[in-house]
Amino acid sequence: MRDLSVFRALLLILTVFMSHQVAASSDTTATRSTALYDDLGGHDGIRQMMETFVLNIAEDERVVHHFVNADIERFHTQISEHICELSGGPCIYKGASMPEVHKGMNISRAEFNAIVENLITAMETHDVAVSTQNRLLAILAAMHNDVIQR
Amino acid sequence: MKIRILIGAVCLSMSPIAAADFGRLLATGGLTTIEGAGGGGIVPWATLSSYAEQGQWGGTLAYNHANVRDYQLDVAAATLNYDNRVEFSYARQRFTLESLGGELEQAIYGVKYRLYGDVVYGKAPQISMGALHKKNTTFALPNAVGAADDSGTDFYLAATKAWLDGPWHRTWLANLTVRATKANEMGLLGFGGDKKDDYSLVAEASVGMFINRHWIVGVEYRQKPNHLNFADEQDWHDVFVGWFPTKRIAVALAYTNLKTIAGAPEQSGVYGSVQVTF
């Protein structure tokens, strides 16, 4: 009996997760809060963090070959704008859609993860709180399918 | 055996030949269960061990030790993962009966196949199915208490999902596993018995929260079947802390409650696990 109630408690925890996720996703569509943008340090904070991110990529032999012909200045500006917009900041990302940008690049699942690791390292370098990191990562992880193997 | 495994693990982890690409994110390989399969401590998860992604090879070596009131369990295990699609595992369990004297041993050969999804990406969970073939090499005692066979195969289906931005903006992980088994006390007391000589369906679950990407705290639950008349089998629980300092090393420490085993009550104690990934 006691064992079953433990199992039920675990199921209850699972149910709470699910409802939390549903609530979280409806949040983002209803109101556009600038909280994440602010927690990332606003315009300057994001630009600085993205600079570290770009430098991390430049030193990462797993993925740097995708950027050999890229205009690094432009990439830095575009990705900073995109993160600004995604985090609720007052920017409009004017670049191409994610599937278009990555078309023909054939980015593997492992390379996508390497990029994520470079971003996490950049956030850690800039002392971004774990809770803030997770909010940004969740937004970017949703683009996984639009980026890989295009 | 412990020393030899650890030396082997250290050599492997330093050898450039064995260097894999580690194409998955930290902690997504999980730990090594006491049955060898990748997962938590007592529950196999849908995740495949090591950090091998598509087209990559990876593997782990692990040593687990549980110390409860009347028993000790030692497990040496190895896994191999290709393509983040299929995992092979091998484990040797030695169960020491401290108060009664004697040992029970078995070997476990495992295979796990990822059917669908990715634990981190997408809305759906990662789903895998697996089999654990177990061979008890100390069948005299299991036989004497009513076990029917010295070997058996468990089949399981597991679903695992991570939420990067879960409650309190922490990354959470949940796993549900359903297993068909004839094993008594995992197989240490043989397979099938005088009470029931058929498969039982049991449910297992794990829930964990990453404090940051290196530390996870969680709970596990494992339902157990009842095939022997001589003693009731009881469900297992544990509360664990996992530490992933790098992709090479994972360490877990748990407080485990295995309750009454073979009639001896209050078998709670500590569980520790060290895993090296290559």
Side-chain angles (χ1 to χ4, degrees):
Chain A
M1 242 8 245
R2 218 177 97 220
D3 297 333
L4 260 180
S5 64
V6 171
F7 192 59
R8 252 185 246 129
L10 282 169
L11 280 178
L12 181 70
I13 294 171
L14 281 180
T15 316
V16 171
F17 284 158
M18 300 297 195
S19 51
H20 171 88
Q21 288 311 112
V22 171
S25 56
S26 58
D27 266 5
T28 48
T29 48
T31 52
R32 283 195 64 83
S33 153
T34 61
L36 179 55
Y37 171 74
D38 294 336
D39 289 346
L40 288 168
H43 180 267
D44 292 351
I46 290 172
R47 269 196 74 90
Q48 283 159 21
M49 194 175 76
M50 286 303 114
E51 190 179 322
T52 307
F53 172 57
V54 171
L55 292 173
N56 288 347
I57 289 172
E59 285 173 12
D60 188 344
E61 60 185 24
R62 296 173 298 178
V63 288
V64 70
H65 61 276
H66 282 301
F67 296 85
V68 283
N69 295 320
D71 177 345
I72 294 300
E73 284 293 316
R74 186 168 173 274
F75 173 63
H76 177 227
T77 301
Q78 294 267 46
I79 196 153
S80 299
E81 253 178 29
H82 201 179
I83 299 290
C84 168
E85 185 190 76
L86 290 168
S87 63
C91 311
I92 296 160
Y93 168 66
K94 296 183 260 338
S97 72
M98 286 296 103
E100 261 177 81
V101 169
H102 299 95
K103 199 170 171 188
M105 290 179 79
N106 199 23
I107 292 173
S108 72
R109 302 175 62 89
E111 287 167 345
F112 186 94
N113 287 333
I115 298 278
V116 171
E117 284 168 1
N118 285 315
L119 175 64
I120 293 171
T121 312
M123 290 194 288
E124 285 178 349
T125 304
H126 290 267
D127 293 321
V128 175
V130 172
S131 55
T132 308
Q133 292 186 27
N134 288 342
R135 281 186 287 162
L136 182 60
L137 289 172
I139 292 170
L140 298 176
M143 298 176 173
H144 187 249
N145 257 343
D146 289 338
V147 172
I148 58 158
Q149 284 146 10
R150 293 273 159 189
Chain B
M1 181 165 69
K2 189 187 275 183
I3 301 295
R4 224 188 312 148
I5 294 253
L6 282 178
I7 290 170
V10 169
C11 292
L12 261 174
S13 69
M14 294 191 305
S15 152
I17 299 157
D21 294 325
F22 286 0
R24 278 150 63 206
L25 296 174
L26 187 65
T28 53
L31 298 154
T32 303
T33 62
I34 49 175
E35 290 167 303
I42 55 175
V43 180
W45 295 348
T47 52
L48 273 58
S49 70
S50 89
Y51 293 103
E53 242 304 348
Q54 210 166 48
Q56 300 177 342
W57 283 94
T60 61
L61 290 172
Y63 200 88
N64 303 343
H65 178 82
N67 194 341
V68 295
R69 209 176 69 162
D70 295 296
Y71 308 108
Q72 285 196 35
L73 176 67
D74 287 281
V75 186
T79 72
L80 209 56
N81 172 354
Y82 177 64
D83 205 29
N84 195 26
R85 178 60 72 182
V86 61
E87 170 197 291
F88 299 97
S89 60
Y90 172 73
R92 273 213 78 87
Q93 292 183 335
R94 191 178 62 227
F95 192 70
T96 311
L97 311 159
E98 300 250 288
S99 42
L100 296 170
E103 287 180 351
L104 296 170
E105 290 189 8
Q106 67 172 341
I108 306 176
Y109 306 85
V111 61
K112 189 196 295 183
Y113 186 83
R114 183 171 63 83
L115 292 168
Y116 179 81
D118 184 284
V119 64
V120 174
Y121 302 112
K123 289 205 182 299
Q126 177 166 329
I127 296 170
S128 299
M129 66 176 185
L132 293 164
H133 179 71
K134 305 172 181 182
K135 173 90 174 102
N136 191 310
T137 51
T138 49
F139 192 57
L141 176 65
N143 195 24
V145 299
D149 290 304
D150 67 350
S151 68
T153 307
D154 289 1
F155 299 95
Y156 64 90
L157 190 69
T160 311
K161 170 111 187 88
W163 290 269
L164 290 173
D165 185 22
W168 305 305
H169 297 300
R170 285 296 179 276
T171 298
W172 286 73
L173 180 128
N175 174 82
L176 270 175
T177 300
V178 178
R179 180 196 306 245
T181 182
K182 289 177 81 171
N184 311 315
E185 300 296 2
M186 274 190 316
L188 290 165
L189 287 181
F191 304 84
D194 46 11
K195 191 181 208 169
K196 182 182 178 185
D197 190 14
D198 202 357
Y199 274 97
S200 296
L201 210 58
V202 289
E204 305 169 12
S206 314
V207 176
M209 182 190 82
F210 283 91
I211 296 164
N212 58 39
R213 65 189 179 119
H214 300 288
W215 290 90
I216 181 172
V217 291
V219 293
E220 287 190 295
Y221 164 82
R222 175 164 169 175
Q223 194 182 20
K224 306 270 296 305
N226 256 314
H227 299 150
L228 298 173
N229 279 317
F230 105 104
D232 262 354
E233 238 181 275
Q234 295 193 310
D235 299 355
W236 288 352
H237 311 143
D238 71 60
V239 181
F240 68 91
V241 178
W243 181 43
F244 298 85
T246 71
K247 287 186 184 177
R248 285 270 180 226
I249 307 281
V251 179
L253 206 63
Y255 173 77
T256 182
N257 189 351
L258 309 182
K259 296 193 225 166
T260 300
I261 298 182
E266 291 169 43
Q267 301 303 324
S268 60
V270 291
Y271 167 80
S273 171
V274 179
Q275 174 183 265
V276 177
T277 305
F278 55 90

